[in-house]
Structures are given as C-alpha cells and as structure tokens.
Amino acid sequence: MKQVICINWGRRYGAPYVNRLYAGVARNITPPFSFTCFTDSAAGFRPEVQVEDLPPLEVEMPKGTKGIWPKARLWSARLGRLEGPVLFMDLDLVVTGSMDGFFEQGAPQDVILARNPNTPFEALGQTSLFRFPVGKLLPLQERFLADPQAVADSYQFEQRFVTREAPGGVSFWPSGWVKHFRLDCARAFPLNFLLPPKRPAGAKVVIFPGGLLPPHAIAGHWGKHYRPMSRAEHLRGLFSAERPDPPLRYLRHFLLPSDWVREAWAE
C-alpha cells in the first residue's frame, strides 16, 4: 500500500487544496494507495480522503523563524492508523507525473527528501515532499519539544533540522523528479512577457515555495502582492508609486497564465 499524507490546520488552505492534491495523486499513481490528511477541520473534503486528527504537540511554537515547525506533529511515534513508510506532501504541490517512483526509491527505512534548489552549496533537503517511516523521526520531535525556540534558532528551518539530524541520515530524490515553479518554470525577463511558464520535462511534482501558489500561476500573477494584468498594464505599473517591488524585480515578476498548472491541479 502506497501511503500519502498531508497536514492542514487553520484557514490558509483547506478543502480546495486537499481535494486537488488528492486528485493529482489519484491520477498519477498505481493503486493500491491511501491518502490521509491530518487536520483540525475536514469540512468539504472529498470522501476518498481519510481523515485523522492533528497529532498533539503541546508546546509553544518558535517565534521569529522561517521554518514550518508545526510539521513536527508528524514526527510522532504513531500517526493515526498508519505504519511503515509514508510520503508527506505539502498542500500546494502540483503533480505532473507518475508518483510510483517515490515509493520504489531506496529502502523502506530510508528518509528521502527533495533537494532544496535554493542552497546549491549546502546539501539541504526540502520537506515539501519527503518519505519517512512512521516513528523514525521521534528523536527529532523529542529534541524539538525539549526546547522549541533553541532548535528553531539553531536550524532556522525544520527541513534543515531533518536533513542534518534524521537518524541514519537522509538521501534525495533523483535529479529532475521534483522541480521548483519559480526557479524551474517561470521565465526570465524578458521571456516572461512573451511565453508562459514552462512545464519541466520529466518532473513528477512541481513545488511552490515562497508564496507563489498554484492559483496565482493559473491566473497569471506573481503572488498575493500582484494581480492579473496585461503586458502593457504591467509595464505602465513600472512608473507607479504603488509598485510592489524594485524595478528589475518588478519586471521579472510578470507572469502569463499557466494552462498546464490548471490541468494538473484540476479536481
């Protein structure tokens, strides 16, 4: 059984993201598989999504850090009814190819992460998409619970903590399996004014870190600080006092709609 998990709390994502992630997995995986969401509210979830309560984490979350430390809930000794290897996926991923390889790579006891493309000189993993056996990361959770702020201050990102401290070490998915939308798909200026973002050949999953989400890519705008605009309107905005970014960055942040994201992210 291929076991996919995700986590949802609060109101930032909710059922639309959970349902679309399930649909993308279901279209691109060979059964049997399960899809479990650990959540504080299952309102609106499609019936195929198995629901579990958020694992308890009775500790104050760190302050002043960029890491998504509530993910530490998933490092418990037990995860609902699940046992063995599970593949964690962030809710804002887009599935673009077969998921089967993520369950065939390595050994069942391995911890395998996507490689973080933002740190070419550091072998840093990306916890947007990673596989681990239930319970193996318990030592990390225990260290985190003992002093959350100190761990966050030392490692900054939870993915750095997992990469460096996972028992037995970690490995990475093969190059090309996981691509980064902003770095691998969005066009550089001035091509971004001429061509829509490219679909990376051979990619199984495209990740969306940094605030530019699938709905933004579909509509054709660079995150919440922008809105869909024509080429001419965006260029006129270069001279506006309300421009959200410095000139060169503003020009780089023009985005044409991504039809392939629309298709891959359909429910």
Side-chain angles (χ1 to χ4, degrees):
M1 174 71 73
K2 304 177 181 75
Q3 300 180 128
V4 178
I5 67 170
C6 64
I7 186 169
N8 176 73
W9 68 88
R11 299 182 178 181
R12 182 178 181 186
Y13 294 113
Y17 280 78
V18 174
N19 293 340
R20 283 175 168 81
L21 181 61
Y22 171 84
V25 170
R27 286 192 294 267
N28 291 281
I29 199 169
T30 303
F33 78 99
S34 66
F35 186 99
T36 303
C37 184
F38 295 86
T39 184
D40 56 2
S41 173
F45 286 11
R46 56 190 297 166
E48 300 94 333
V49 176
Q50 299 178 18
V51 176
E52 295 276 2
D53 291 336
L54 285 174
L57 200 63
E58 302 300 331
V59 68
E60 184 178 356
M61 285 295 107
K63 297 179 175 62
T65 179
K66 297 179 180 179
I68 312 298
W69 292 99
K71 287 182 181 180
R73 295 174 181 274
L74 302 176
W75 306 344
S76 304
R78 301 184 64 181
L79 273 182
R81 294 160 287 180
L82 304 178
E83 298 179 347
V86 293
L87 180 71
F88 172 79
M89 302 181 73
D90 271 348
L91 292 178
D92 55 3
L93 304 184
V94 172
V95 182
T96 55
S98 172
M99 297 291 298
D100 292 346
F102 292 113
F103 298 91
E104 298 164 353
Q105 183 77 13
Q109 69 271 20
D110 290 347
V111 178
I112 313 178
L113 299 89
R115 186 71 178 262
N116 191 320
N118 285 312
T119 58
F121 301 109
E122 178 186 2
L124 179 63
Q126 171 63 263
T127 54
S128 291
L129 178 74
F130 79 114
R131 199 186 79 206
F132 62 96
V134 172
K136 185 166 184 177
L137 299 181
L138 178 61
L140 272 64
Q141 188 185 72
E142 293 172 340
R143 285 180 56 185
F144 176 71
L145 293 177
D147 195 339
Q149 192 65 54
V151 170
D153 289 344
S154 178
Y155 293 90
Q156 190 177 21
F157 297 97
E158 89 290 341
Q159 58 200 26
R160 180 173 285 120
F161 187 44
V162 173
T163 303
R164 293 185 180 176
E165 306 297 342
V170 303
S171 56
F172 300 103
W173 304 119
S175 175
W177 282 18
V178 182
K179 290 296 185 180
H180 188 297
F181 183 82
R182 285 188 296 110
L183 300 180
D184 298 311
C185 304
R187 307 278 184 173
F189 175 76
L191 288 179
N192 59 325
F193 280 81
L194 303 174
L195 299 170
K198 59 186 175 183
R199 178 170 182 162
K204 300 175 181 293
V205 169
V206 176
I207 63 176
F208 283 76
L212 200 170
L213 300 173
H216 304 146
I218 292 169
H221 63 99
W222 197 281
K224 64 181 181 180
H225 300 297
Y226 288 80
R227 60 179 176 81
M229 290 186 283
S230 68
R231 297 171 177 88
E233 187 179 6
H234 191 92
L235 289 172
R236 286 195 298 270
L238 185 63
F239 306 100
S240 169
E242 299 178 356
R243 187 187 65 229
D245 284 312
L248 290 180
R249 184 180 299 174
Y250 176 82
L251 290 173
R252 291 199 303 268
H253 286 182
F254 178 75
L255 197 70
L256 290 170
S258 304
D259 290 341
W260 64 266
V261 176
R262 185 190 306 277
E263 295 169 2
W265 206 55
E267 185 181 342

